[in-house]
Amino acid sequence: MAENPVAFKKRAKPSLRKREVESEPDGTADTLSEESPSTLAAKLKKRAKPKSKLSFGADEEEGDGEVFQLKKSSLSRKVALSKQLPSASSVLPSSFDPSAYGPSSSAPTYSAAYLHELKAATPSSRPRVTNDEVITLDVDVPMDTSGYTPQIIVDLTGDDETETAIPADASIKAAKEKRERLRKNEANGSEDFISLSLTKRTDYTSGPHPDSRLVREEDELGEGDDEFAEFTSAQERIALGKKSRKVEARKRRENMNELIAEAEEEDEETLEWEQEQLRRGGLRTESPAAGAPKPVYRPAPIPAPTPIPTLSAAISTLSRSLAMLTTSHTQHTSSMVSIGDERTQIESREKELRDMITTAEEKRSWFAAFREWVESVATFLDEKYPLMEKLEDEHVSLMKERQDMVTRRRSAEDEDDLSLFFGSLPVPPRDQPDEIDELGRVIPHANPAAARRDRLTARAARRQHRRAISQAQEEEGFSTDSSLPQSEAADYDAATKKVRSKRKDVLIDVKAKDFLDPNVGLVKWFGEWRDNFGEIYTGAWGGLGMVGAWEFWARLEMLGWDPLEDSRTLDTFNWYTSLHDYSRPRQSEDDEDGMEPDLGPDGDLVSSMITTAVIPRVCKILQGGSFDPYSAKHIRRLIDMAEEIEVSVGKENQKFEMILKSIFTVFQTTFEDVEGTLSTYLALNKPRFDPEAIPARRRYLMRRYKLLVNIVRWRKYAGDKYGLGLLASDIVSNCVFPVAEEGWEVGGEIVMRKVLGLLPVELVPVPVKVRMSLK
C-alpha cells in the first residue's frame, strides 16, 4: 500500500556539521559535480511528492528545523512514487530520452546536461488530476500514542466524484483467510505480521515516577540525536582528507546502489497484499486486463408463456389438497387425543406416586414409633419376667408341700393297715445317731405303736367331721382322706393369699397404662398394624407376636390359680375375653345383624395363648402336686379342664398331649410308691390274729380300688395313651389281687368282683381270671 512518509519534527539544535548543496540556476558542471548521488536522489524525491505535514505536538514557532524521515521498504517507496507520479508522460516531455545522454550501464550516470534537462522537465506545481485517475488516500497514524496527539493527513489526488469500487465476496474471504494465517504466524513468532490493534500507554514503561507529570532530564531515555542517529546521520563524520572523501563517496554510492536494488526488487506476495488492501479501501479500481474484450449488452431472455389452468385441474388440485389437509387434520386430532390420554395417564400416575410416597412416609414414621414402643416393651418384660417366674415357683412349691403332707399321711395309713394283717416291720436299732432339727434340738425317736394309735384316732376324728359336714355315708377307705388338718389348711390358705398379694407388687412401680393393661397398649398398636398394613401384619405373623408379648400379663393374671381346686375356668380370665374379641374384629354389618363376627386373619389367638402359656403352666402345676390321683373331685375337674382346652387347641395337638403325659406320670408315680410299700410287707408275710386286721385289709383294698376307678375314668376320656390300660392291669395284679387273695373269705372276693365289674375284660389279668373262674 502506497504511503507518504511520516514526518517527525523535532527541535532545531545546532548541528555539528551542516552541508548545504545549492543548485545554481545556470546548472554549471562544477557545482553539480560536487553534489553526491544520495543528495540528488533526495532532492528528486522531494520534488516528486509533497511533504507530509504530520506533527506530533512540536511548536511551530521554533522554526522548521530538521525533519526526520521514517525509512520505508522498497516496495512501499516504489508504489508511493508510482502513485504520486501518475505517468511518465505527464511529467516529462516526450522529447526527453535518458538514453540519449549516455550509454546504459549498471551504475547510474549523472551529467550536467542530463540533470539540467531533468530539472527543466520537472513541474514546479502539482499537476491537475483528471476524472480518470485514481483517488489515493494516505493516512499516516503514529504507532506511539502515549504522549502525542495524532494528526491524520489525507491526500486526495482525485476528484470526489470518482466511483469507489466495492470488493467482491471472494476477495474479502481470501483477505480474511490470509489475515488469519498471518495472525497465526505472528503467534508462532513470525515477524511478517503487522497488528492493526492500537497500543496503550500502559504497554510502555512510565519511568521511575509513573504518578508524577514532572520528568527529570536524567529520566529521559535519550536525546533525539542519539535515538534517531541512524536516520538523521548524526553520527556521520566529516571527511577532511582527499582519501577519506573518496571513501565517503564510495560508501554513498554503495548505499545508493543498495537502495536502487531494493527498489527494483519485487515481492509478489507483499505486492499482492498491498494491492488487495488498496482495493478493499476503495483507493484503487480494478483495471481491466489488457486485451480483454469489451462486454456486450445482452437482454434477458423472455420466458415461455405459461398456459392458463383449467377448472377441472384446479378442482382436482384443490380436492387433493383438501384430502391431504383432512388426513393431516385427522392424524393431528388422533395425535392430540393420544397425547391427551397419555397426559391423563401421566397425571394419574403422578397422583398415584405421590400417594405412594405419602403412604410410604406414613408407614415409615408409624413403624419407627412402633419399633420404639416394642423396644420399650422388651425392656419392661426383661425386668419383670424374673419376678413373675419367682412367684410361680413359690406357688408350685406350696402345692408340692401340701401334696407331700397328704402323701405321707396316706402312706402311713397304708403301712398301719398292712402291719395289722401282714405283721409289723422290724424296729431299727437304737445305736443310730440322734437326728437334729433346724434349731439344733434332738428329734426324739418315735414309738411305732404309739404313733399308730395316734394316727388311728386322728383318722376317726376326720372321718366323723367329714360325715357331719357332707352327711355322706361313704365306705371307709373310699374317701382317701385328702384333706389337711385345720391348722395346716389355714397355713396353706394364708401362704396362697400371700403369693396372690405379691402378684400386685410386680407392677407396683409401673405408672404407664400401656404396661398396666395390655388392652391399652398391645391391642392399640397391633390393632393399628392389622388395620393399616394388613399384608405386612399377616406376613409377619403379627398375631403370634402379640400373643408372645401378652403371655406375661396372662401368666401374671393366672398366678395363684389351682385348676383343680379353684372353681374359675379359663374363660373367666380377662386375657381370654380380650383375645377372643381381638381375634374377631367387628364390622359394621356385624353390629347390624347382632351376630358374632368371624375370625380375623390371625385366627383364634385364644388357642395360641393356651398353647403357649396355659398348657405349660397347667402341666407344671399338675406334676408339682396339685393333682391327687385318689381324688374323684380332681378327676372330674381335670376332665372338664381337658375338654375346655381340647376345644381350643384340638386333641391331636402336641401341647395337649403334654397334659395327658403329665397326668399319666402322676398315676405311674403313685403306683410305683404303692407297689414298693406292699412288696416290703409281702416279703415279710407274718400274719397275726388281730380283730382290726379285717377292716384294715378292707380299707387298703378300697383305697386301691379308688385309684383304679380314677384311672379307668380318665382312660375313658384320654384313651389308652401312654399305657393307661396296662397300668390299670398292673395295679390289679400287683397291688389288689395279692392282698385280696390272702383274705379272700373276709372281703377279698367282694373287692375283686367289684374290680372285675370295673375293668374291661381285656384289662383283667390272667391270674385274676383263673381265680375267678373266668374264661
Side-chain angles (χ1 to χ4, degrees):
M1 181 177 179
E3 296 181 357
N4 288 331
V6 180
F8 296 85
K9 291 185 179 181
K10 62 179 182 178
R11 300 175 183 176
K13 293 184 179 182
S15 177
L16 296 178
R17 61 185 179 90
K18 183 179 180 181
R19 293 180 300 171
E20 296 180 356
V21 179
E22 296 179 357
S23 60
E24 296 295 332
D26 54 356
T28 60
D30 296 337
T31 306
L32 292 176
S33 61
E34 295 178 0
E35 294 180 356
S36 64
S38 60
T39 305
L40 294 176
K43 289 184 178 181
L44 182 61
K45 185 175 294 186
K46 290 180 181 180
R47 292 181 180 182
K49 59 180 179 179
K51 295 182 179 180
S52 175
K53 297 182 180 181
L54 183 62
S55 175
F56 291 91
D59 296 337
E60 298 296 337
E61 297 179 357
E62 293 181 0
D64 295 333
E66 294 184 2
V67 179
F68 168 73
Q69 294 182 354
L70 181 63
K71 184 178 181 182
K72 298 195 176 193
S73 63
S74 60
L75 290 176
S76 60
R77 289 198 303 270
K78 183 178 180 181
V79 173
L81 185 59
S82 64
K83 293 299 181 180
Q84 292 175 0
L85 301 178
S87 61
S89 59
S90 61
V91 177
L92 299 176
S94 59
S95 61
F96 178 77
D97 187 6
S99 60
Y101 293 90
S104 61
S105 63
S106 58
T109 302
Y110 298 97
S111 60
Y114 172 77
L115 294 177
H116 179 71
E117 188 168 357
L118 180 62
K119 181 179 179 180
T122 302
S124 59
S125 63
R126 177 180 297 180
R128 185 177 183 82
V129 181
T130 61
N131 295 335
D132 296 336
E133 294 180 350
V134 182
I135 300 175
T136 302
L137 178 63
D138 294 335
V139 182
D140 294 340
V141 181
M143 301 303 295
D144 187 5
T145 60
S146 60
Y148 302 96
T149 302
Q151 297 180 2
I152 300 175
I153 301 175
V154 180
D155 294 338
L156 298 177
T157 59
D159 194 2
D160 294 341
E161 296 180 357
T162 304
E163 182 180 359
T164 301
I166 300 177
D169 294 340
S171 301
I172 297 175
K173 184 177 180 181
K176 289 183 178 179
E177 293 178 355
K178 185 176 181 181
R179 187 68 178 174
E180 185 65 25
R181 185 172 63 256
L182 293 175
R183 183 181 293 107
K184 293 181 180 179
N185 294 336
E186 189 272 339
N188 296 331
S190 176
E191 298 180 357
D192 295 338
F193 176 77
I194 301 176
S195 177
L196 299 180
S197 60
L198 298 177
T199 57
K200 298 181 180 179
R201 187 173 183 178
T202 56
D203 296 340
Y204 300 95
T205 179
S206 56
H209 304 285
D211 297 335
S212 176
R213 294 186 299 173
L214 299 178
V215 180
R216 295 178 298 178
E217 185 176 358
E218 58 269 19
D219 293 338
E220 293 182 355
L221 295 178
E223 296 182 356
D225 294 341
D226 297 336
E227 183 178 359
F228 304 106
E230 183 180 355
F231 306 100
T232 59
S233 301
Q235 296 180 357
E236 293 182 356
R237 297 291 182 266
I238 301 175
L240 301 178
K242 182 177 181 180
K243 186 176 180 180
S244 60
R245 285 197 300 271
K246 289 182 179 180
V247 173
E248 186 67 24
R250 182 173 55 80
K251 289 182 180 181
R252 284 195 295 270
R253 285 195 299 269
E254 290 178 357
N255 292 336
M256 184 174 292
N257 293 334
E258 290 178 1
L259 293 175
I260 294 172
E262 290 179 1
E264 292 178 353
E265 291 180 358
E266 292 185 358
D267 188 355
E268 296 181 357
E269 185 177 18
T270 305
L271 183 59
E272 180 183 356
W273 180 82
E274 292 179 353
Q275 294 295 331
E276 183 64 23
Q277 298 304 317
L278 290 173
R279 187 190 63 79
R280 291 180 58 185
L283 303 179
R284 177 175 173 274
T285 58
E286 296 288 344
S287 60
K294 185 177 181 180
V296 180
Y297 171 75
R298 293 180 181 180
I302 301 175
T306 303
I308 300 175
T310 60
L311 182 60
S312 59
I315 291 175
S316 61
T317 303
L318 292 176
S319 300
R320 288 194 301 269
S321 301
L322 181 60
M324 293 175 60
L325 290 175
T326 304
T327 305
S328 177
H329 176 72
T330 304
Q331 294 177 355
H332 292 170
T333 304
S334 60
S335 299
M336 291 180 64
V337 172
S338 62
I339 292 174
D341 296 340
E342 184 178 357
R343 180 180 179 182
T344 304
Q345 294 177 1
I346 292 175
E347 290 178 354
S348 61
R349 182 59 178 169
E350 181 182 3
K351 184 178 180 181
E352 292 177 0
L353 292 177
R354 291 183 182 277
D355 295 341
M356 290 174 60
I357 293 173
T358 304
T359 304
E361 178 60 24
E362 292 177 355
K363 182 188 297 185
R364 186 204 62 78
S365 59
W366 188 90
F367 274 103
F370 179 67
R371 180 180 180 180
E372 183 179 357
W373 181 82
V374 168
E375 291 177 354
S376 63
V377 171
T379 305
F380 168 78
L381 295 179
D382 292 340
E383 182 180 355
K384 298 300 181 182
Y385 247 108
L387 301 177
M388 181 195 65
E389 291 176 349
K390 182 178 180 181
L391 294 178
E392 288 180 345
D393 296 339
E394 185 177 352
H395 180 232
V396 173
S397 64
L398 292 176
M399 291 187 292
K400 181 65 175 178
E401 184 178 359
R402 173 182 174 276
Q403 182 65 21
D404 292 342
M405 294 172 62
V406 174
T407 302
R408 285 196 300 269
R409 189 179 62 188
R410 187 178 292 121
S411 178
E413 291 179 356
D414 289 342
E415 291 177 359
D416 293 343
D417 292 339
L418 289 173
S419 63
L420 289 176
F421 54 84
F422 278 120
S424 300
L425 296 175
V427 180
R430 295 290 184 177
D431 56 352
Q432 293 182 355
D434 297 334
E435 295 182 2
I436 300 175
D437 59 5
E438 63 274 6
L439 299 178
R441 296 173 298 183
V442 178
I443 301 176
H445 294 283
N447 188 355
R452 186 181 304 113
R453 287 193 299 268
D454 294 340
R455 287 194 292 271
L456 291 174
T457 303
R459 182 172 58 252
R462 291 196 303 273
R463 180 176 177 78
Q464 185 178 1
H465 178 70
R466 186 170 56 255
R467 285 183 175 182
I469 296 176
S470 61
Q471 296 181 359
Q473 300 296 326
E474 295 179 351
E475 188 174 356
E476 190 175 0
F478 193 78
S479 63
T480 66
D481 197 11
S482 60
S483 59
L484 293 176
Q486 293 183 358
S487 59
E488 296 178 355
D491 294 340
Y492 176 77
D493 294 339
T496 304
K497 290 180 180 179
K498 185 177 180 180
V499 171
R500 292 175 181 173
S501 63
K502 289 181 179 179
R503 179 183 62 184
K504 298 180 181 179
D505 297 339
V506 176
L507 301 177
I508 193 172
D509 58 339
V510 179
K511 304 300 180 181
K513 294 183 179 180
D514 293 358
F515 300 133
L516 290 175
D517 187 4
N519 290 311
V520 178
L522 291 176
V523 173
K524 172 184 174 296
W525 283 99
F526 281 89
E528 290 181 358
W529 188 11
R530 181 180 61 184
D531 296 339
N532 299 332
F533 315 103
E535 295 182 359
I536 302 177
Y537 177 84
T538 305
W541 302 93
L544 296 181
M546 189 184 69
V547 170
W550 206 320
E551 180 182 351
F552 168 77
W553 285 276
R555 290 173 59 178
L556 186 63
E557 187 179 0
M558 292 187 299
L559 183 63
W561 173 62
D562 188 353
L564 303 181
E565 293 291 339
D566 200 335
S567 59
R568 293 182 299 173
T569 57
L570 293 177
D571 56 357
T572 58
F573 291 102
N574 294 329
W575 63 263
Y576 188 98
T577 305
S578 300
L579 287 177
H580 181 273
D581 296 339
Y582 180 82
S583 302
R584 295 165 175 79
R586 292 187 175 275
Q587 305 294 336
S588 58
E589 55 271 11
D590 297 335
D591 298 337
E592 295 176 0
D593 297 340
M595 300 176 60
E596 184 178 4
D598 298 333
L599 287 174
D602 303 319
D604 191 5
L605 296 180
V606 175
S607 62
S608 300
M609 180 62 74
I610 292 175
T611 304
T612 305
V614 176
I615 292 179
R617 177 63 180 167
V618 170
C619 294
K620 192 173 183 179
I621 290 175
L622 294 178
Q623 294 180 0
S626 175
F627 174 53
D628 186 2
Y630 290 94
S631 175
K633 175 184 175 182
H634 286 186
I635 290 296
R636 291 193 300 269
R637 185 70 186 91
L638 190 61
I639 293 174
D640 294 340
M641 184 188 66
E643 290 178 349
E644 186 177 6
I645 295 175
E646 180 186 354
V647 171
S648 298
V649 301
K651 198 171 184 178
E652 301 299 330
N653 194 303
Q654 295 181 357
K655 292 295 184 70
F656 182 75
E657 292 183 358
M658 291 175 57
I659 297 178
L660 304 181
K661 179 67 175 178
S662 300
I663 296 173
F664 173 79
T665 302
V666 175
F667 281 124
Q668 189 178 16
T669 303
T670 304
F671 163 70
E672 292 174 356
D673 294 342
V674 173
E675 185 181 16
T677 304
L678 181 60
S679 62
T680 305
Y681 283 92
L682 287 177
L684 180 63
N685 197 10
K686 294 181 179 180
R688 62 186 180 87
F689 177 77
D690 192 342
E692 296 291 335
I694 296 175
R697 187 187 299 273
R698 191 174 184 83
R699 288 195 301 269
Y700 183 84
L701 292 175
M702 291 305 298
R703 281 196 288 270
R704 307 291 86 77
Y705 177 74
K706 181 66 175 296
L707 177 62
L708 191 61
V709 169
N710 291 338
I711 292 177
V712 171
R713 185 178 296 178
W714 176 249
R715 181 176 178 272
K716 288 181 180 180
Y717 171 76
D720 197 7
K721 286 201 175 176
Y722 304 103
L724 280 175
L726 182 60
L727 180 62
S729 299
D730 292 341
I731 292 176
V732 173
S733 59
N734 297 334
C735 298
V736 179
F737 181 69
V739 178
E741 190 177 11
E742 293 292 333
W744 192 263
E745 292 81 6
V746 293
E749 183 180 2
I750 298 174
V751 175
M752 290 305 299
R753 290 189 180 278
K754 289 183 178 181
V755 171
L756 291 176
L758 177 65
L759 291 178
V761 179
E762 65 274 9
L763 298 181
V764 177
V766 176
V768 176
K769 291 181 179 180
V770 174
R771 186 70 177 84
M772 298 298 293
S773 301
L774 296 177
K775 295 182 180 180

